Amino acid sequence: MSAPAPERRPALLTVDDDPAVSRAVARDLRRHYGDRYRVVRAESGRAALEALREMKLRGDEVAVLLADHRMPQMSGIEFLEQAMDVYPAARRVLLTAYADTGAAIDAINLVDLDHYLLKPWDPPEEKLYPVLDGLLRAWQHEDRRPVAGTRVVGARWSARSSEIRDFLARNQVPYRFHLSDSPEGERLLAAAGADPLALPLVVTPDGTALLAPTDAELADRTGVPTTPETDFYDLIVVGGGPAGLGAAVYGASEGLRTILVERTATGGQAGTSSRIENYLGFPDGVSGAQLADRARRQAVKFGAELVTTRDVVGLEVAGSARRVHFADGSSLDAHAVVLATGVSYRQLAAEGIDALTGRGVFYGLAQSEASSCAAQDVYVVGGANSAGQAAVHLARSARSVTLLIRGESLEASMSHYLIEQLAALDNVSVRPCTQVSAVHGEEHLERLTLTHVSGTTETVDASWLFVFIGAAPRTDWLDGVVARDRLGFVLAGPDLVVEAGGWTTERPPYHLESSVPGVFVAGDVRADSAKRVAAAVGEGAMAVMLVHRYLESS
C-alpha cells in the first residue's frame, strides 16, 4: 500500500503585478511563516483567481490574501471581491500607497477588508509580521472543519447523487456532501466551471472535477482498484459479500493467486447492515460495514487482489481454465472459480416507485441516507432480519418507524432476539398483512398508499421508505452454463446428483461444486443455503478447501 500523502499546509497568497515587489513580499512571508504555511505568489488578479480555484478543488485551505491595490485589468479590491466567493474565511489585506488610503478605507465595507498595509512595509518585523500574526490567530480560532478528501456536490433529492455517496461510503472513501444551492456547493461549482444542470459534481483529492461520473470513473479517480494485475489466476472469486471475502481470505492465505471481482463494493447486502448481533465472536454486535472492512483488509494482507466496478456477464470453460467475461468486453482466466454473487433485494411492485427510487425510496439501508431520517417518520418494508436490523437502527433517531409486513407476525421470518428488541422500542410499530401499493411525490417521496390484505387502503405521509423484500439471485448470466433451480439459485454437490443431467463427470461432485467442474458456489446464491452471514463465511472457506482438492485431482 502506498504511503499517505503528506498533509498540505494552509496557504498565504500574495498578488502584485510588479515582479520585484511580488518576489519581495513572498520572500518576507516565507522567511517568517514558511515552516507553517505555503506561500503562493501571483503577478495578476486573474492568475491569482485561477490559483485559488485550483486550490479550492484540491481542498486546500487559504489563510490570508495579500493584494496590491494598483494592478492593471483587475485592481486589488476587485480581486479580493471575487476571491471572497472562493475563500470567504480567508483574511484579506490590501497593499497600498499613501495616496490610496481613501480607497482602502472604502474597501473595508466593500470586501470586508481586514487590514491595509502601506508600502513600503519595511521593516517587516514591525510593520508586516505583527499584522499578519493577529490575522492568522483569528483565522486559526475559527470553527473550520477539516476538508474531506473527496467532495460531492448534488441536489438533495437526486438518485445519482445518492448512489455516488453510497458507493463512496461502502468503498471506505471519505467524502463530504454539499448541496448544489449551498454556499460551498456554489463555490465548488464555480471553481470547476460546472453547469449546475449537469450534476452531480465529484471533486477528487487531486482537484480533478468529474461531472456525473460512472462508478468506474469514480473508482479510478478515488483510488479504488478496478484493473487486475495479470490475466491468469489460481482462483477467481466472483462477488465481495461475506462468502466471497471468506473465500478470498482463505484462498490467499493458503497460497493461491486469488482475485476477488466485485460490481459495487465489498460487503454485499451484509455490508449495509447497521448491526449484526448474532455473529460469532462479537458479543456486542458489529456493523456490516465494519465486518466487511476488516475482512477486506485481511484478504489484502494475505495477498488477495480486490477489484471493483467489474460486472461479470459470462462464464466459459476454456480448456483446463475457467474464464469469466466482463461487461466491458474483457475477460479473466483461472484454474478455478468461486461464485459468491449473493442475492439482490426484489423490486417492490408499487405504482410510481421507479421514479422515486433514490429520492426517498431505497432498497436496503443506504448508509448515506440513514442519518437524514432524524426526527422523521420512517417506513420499512420486510419481515426478515435485514428489515429488523434496519428498523432498530433507524429508531435511534427517527420519530417513528413503522414495519410493514405481508404476514400475520414476525415469528416465521425474523430471529427471536430482533423481535424482542423491536418490541422494547416505543417508537417502532409493526403493521401485519399490509403492503405498499403506491408511492407518491414530485421531486421526492411524499406519501404512501398502504393496502391491507382485507382490501382496505390508507394513504399516509412519508418521506422515507426502506425496502427489504426477499432475495433474487440475479444469475441470468449463468444461463446455459451452470445448472440452477427454478428460482435461479445455483445447484451444487448432492443436489446435482438428484437433478437429471446435472452432473456428467465420472467422479462425484464435491460438496459446493456446481455442474461445471472447477466452478464452486458459496453463500446465499447457492440453492437451499442458510442465508446467514456466518454460514456464508464458512462456505467461502470450505469452497477453498474443495478448490485445493479439485486442483490436486486435475
Side-chain angles (χ1 to χ4, degrees):
M1 298 179 63
S2 59
E7 183 178 355
R8 296 182 69 89
R9 293 169 294 170
L12 309 177
L13 184 142
T14 173
V15 52
D16 196 305
D17 67 305
D18 185 329
V21 175
S22 178
R23 287 192 296 269
V25 175
R27 178 200 62 216
D28 288 342
L29 292 177
R30 290 192 182 99
R31 187 173 62 190
H32 193 70
Y33 300 104
D35 59 333
R36 292 160 289 159
Y37 295 89
R38 187 163 54 95
V39 177
V40 178
R41 182 170 68 91
E43 295 183 3
S44 73
R46 296 193 183 281
L49 285 173
E50 184 61 30
L52 287 178
R53 294 188 184 103
E54 291 178 2
M55 288 190 283
K56 185 70 177 179
L57 293 176
R58 290 197 302 266
D60 294 345
E61 291 186 292
V62 176
V64 174
L65 304 168
L66 296 97
D68 181 56
H69 174 53
R70 292 202 174 206
M71 293 188 295
Q73 286 87 46
M74 181 184 294
S75 71
I77 294 174
E78 291 170 333
F79 161 73
L80 291 173
E81 187 175 14
Q82 295 188 46
M84 286 177 64
D85 295 332
V86 186
Y87 280 100
R91 295 300 189 255
R92 290 171 286 279
V93 178
L94 193 68
L95 295 174
T96 181
Y98 182 80
D100 296 320
T101 55
I105 293 172
D106 292 339
I108 291 176
N109 293 324
L110 179 61
V111 297
D112 195 18
L113 195 67
D114 294 289
H115 203 89
Y116 66 89
L117 285 172
L118 293 176
K119 296 180 181 179
W121 59 89
D122 292 327
E125 289 78 10
E126 295 180 11
K127 297 184 178 180
L128 178 63
Y129 300 151
V131 170
L132 293 186
D133 287 345
L135 295 178
L136 288 171
R137 279 194 298 270
W139 179 82
Q140 289 166 348
H141 284 91
E142 277 193 347
D143 181 18
R144 300 184 333 276
R145 291 177 296 172
V147 178
T150 297
R151 285 150 296 160
V152 180
V153 181
R156 177 65 191 90
W157 297 106
S158 161
R160 184 54 186 156
S161 290
S162 178
E163 290 170 356
I164 285 176
R165 293 162 61 197
D166 202 50
F167 177 88
L168 294 172
R170 294 187 61 192
N171 280 287
Q172 308 297 317
V173 178
Y175 75 93
R176 181 177 295 172
F177 178 65
H178 302 282
L179 292 173
S180 56
D181 57 357
S182 69
E184 184 67 7
E186 291 177 345
R187 283 191 284 269
L188 285 169
L189 287 170
D195 182 352
L197 299 178
L199 296 176
L201 168 71
V202 177
V203 182
T204 63
D206 65 358
T208 301
L210 306 172
L211 277 176
T214 64
D215 285 354
E217 291 171 332
L218 198 58
D220 185 58
R221 297 312 298 254
T222 55
V224 178
T226 60
T227 306
E229 293 180 2
T230 185
D231 56 5
F232 194 93
Y233 294 83
D234 293 323
L235 175 63
I236 297 173
V237 181
V238 183
L245 287 167
V249 167
Y250 282 92
S253 68
E254 294 178 13
L256 297 177
R257 291 173 298 167
T258 302
I259 184 170
L260 182 151
V261 293
E262 164 60 39
R263 182 173 56 186
T264 304
T266 53
Q269 278 191 14
T272 66
S273 176
S274 57
R275 180 68 49 176
I276 303 169
E277 296 193 63
N278 59 351
Y279 189 74
L280 184 68
F282 291 88
D284 298 321
V286 61
S287 75
Q290 290 172 326
L291 190 62
D293 181 54
R294 292 180 182 185
R296 178 190 59 79
R297 289 188 282 113
Q298 194 173 18
V300 171
K301 183 189 77 170
F302 285 123
E305 267 185 67
L306 275 62
V307 296
T308 191
T309 66
R310 306 296 294 194
D311 195 4
V312 179
V313 296
L315 176 67
E316 174 188 4
V317 175
S320 62
R322 302 296 177 259
R323 178 173 297 158
V324 297
H325 294 273
F326 300 115
D328 63 3
S330 62
S331 62
L332 203 59
D333 290 0
H335 291 304
V337 171
V338 172
L339 301 174
T341 51
V343 292
S344 301
Y345 291 116
R346 288 197 175 95
Q347 304 296 294
L348 185 65
E351 181 183 348
I353 196 166
D354 290 343
L356 294 175
T357 298
R359 299 180 176 184
V361 177
F362 301 93
Y363 289 91
L365 186 61
Q367 296 182 26
S368 59
E369 301 294 342
S371 61
S372 302
C373 301
Q376 299 189 46
D377 299 317
V378 181
Y379 287 80
V380 177
V381 180
N385 278 8
S386 54
Q389 291 161 351
V392 170
H393 178 70
L394 291 165
R396 296 173 184 170
S397 58
R399 178 169 52 203
S400 71
V401 177
T402 304
L403 202 58
L404 307 172
I405 61 173
R406 291 184 299 175
E408 296 183 356
S409 71
L410 295 171
E411 275 73 12
S413 56
M414 189 177 292
S415 294
H416 180 67
Y417 81 92
L418 272 173
I419 296 175
E420 288 187 327
Q421 287 185 15
L422 292 171
L425 296 172
D426 293 336
N427 61 338
V428 175
S429 61
V430 180
R431 295 188 58 166
C433 305
T434 303
Q435 299 184 57
V436 177
S437 54
V439 300
H440 314 275
E442 295 298 327
E443 292 186 355
H444 60 86
L445 178 66
E446 298 172 3
R447 296 176 304 282
L448 300 174
T449 297
L450 308 181
T451 301
H452 191 267
V453 68
S454 64
T456 60
T457 62
E458 175 188 1
T459 299
V460 296
D461 293 333
S463 297
W464 302 94
L465 177 67
F466 297 93
V467 182
F468 306 81
I469 54 168
R474 305 284 192 265
T475 55
D476 293 346
W477 61 279
L478 293 171
D479 191 30
V481 181
V482 173
R484 300 170 294 150
D485 67 10
R486 60 183 181 82
L487 298 176
F489 293 93
V490 177
L491 298 166
D495 294 333
L496 292 171
V497 178
V498 175
E499 289 282 325
W503 182 259
T504 58
T505 302
E506 185 175 336
R507 67 167 174 83
Y510 297 119
H511 182 65
L512 297 178
E513 195 168 20
S514 74
S515 59
V516 177
V519 176
F520 298 82
V521 59
D524 291 1
V525 73
R526 183 178 66 83
D528 296 324
S529 62
K531 307 297 187 290
R532 289 291 186 269
V533 174
V537 173
E539 288 191 7
M542 183 186 293
V544 171
M545 179 188 71
L546 299 174
V547 166
H548 279 293
R549 290 187 187 176
Y550 167 76
L551 295 177
E552 290 167 0
S553 64
S554 298

